[in-house]
Amino acid sequence: QVQLVESGGGLVQAGGSLRLSCAASGRSSFSVNSNAMGWFRQAPGKEREFVAAISKSFGSTTYADSVKGRFTISRDNAKNTVFLQMNSLKPEDTAVYYCAAKRVYSDYVVSSDREYAYWGQGTQVIVSS
């Protein structure tokens, strides 16, 4: 059983920063460098939306327009962890943030939540104005 555990959420003032982590555990063969990884978020009363994604091998990335230039997704293969550095946070970034994994056999980014097989439980981010 693969587990993805997010951490790093919290309450921050607008303009501040947070760094979210997504640690993978469980099945010994699971490694983030064999998976396309992504971050999604869901605000109250809204649908889940794509935030950022990173490919398995060469670290190609893609971002939602709303976070481009402010958020950075990265991966530490040795720690089997994916990160989301969030800078210049805005109140509209308030949401529960989820990480996701999709086993892939070639290097590409995945931005559709329907393609991801594994999900974490989420971490709450609240940005006050």
Side-chain angles (χ1 to χ4, degrees):
Q1 182 73 15
V2 173
Q3 288 185 322
L4 301 176
V5 180
E6 302 96 333
S7 62
L11 173 64
V12 64
Q13 288 188 335
S17 298
L18 283 174
R19 189 192 195 204
L20 304 184
S21 299
C22 172
S25 63
R27 188 187 304 163
S28 60
S29 61
F30 183 91
S31 62
V32 296
N33 64 350
S34 296
N35 286 264
M37 303 294 295
W39 284 95
F40 293 79
R41 67 186 181 187
Q42 186 167 21
K46 295 187 177 181
E47 294 187 352
R48 185 168 58 194
E49 64 173 358
F50 168 74
V51 175
I54 188 166
S55 67
K56 77 176 187 75
S57 298
F58 299 110
S60 300
T61 59
T62 188
Y63 298 90
D65 288 343
S66 59
V67 307
K68 201 171 294 183
R70 300 188 298 122
F71 290 12
T72 302
I73 186 172
S74 62
R75 187 182 62 225
D76 186 331
N77 294 336
K79 295 182 178 180
N80 223 16
T81 300
V82 175
F83 303 97
L84 184 69
Q85 178 67 44
M86 306 188 296
N87 299 329
S88 302
L89 283 161
K90 304 174 181 180
E92 50 264 43
D93 294 319
T94 295
V96 177
Y97 283 72
Y98 300 90
C99 74
K102 171 183 169 64
R103 186 72 166 93
V104 294
Y105 298 93
S106 59
D107 192 72
Y108 63 98
V109 292
V110 179
S111 59
S112 170
D113 60 351
R114 297 179 182 180
E115 295 194 50
Y116 283 95
Y118 304 107
W119 291 85
Q121 82 292 346
T123 185
Q124 177 75 57
V125 171
I126 300 174
V127 184
S128 64
S129 57

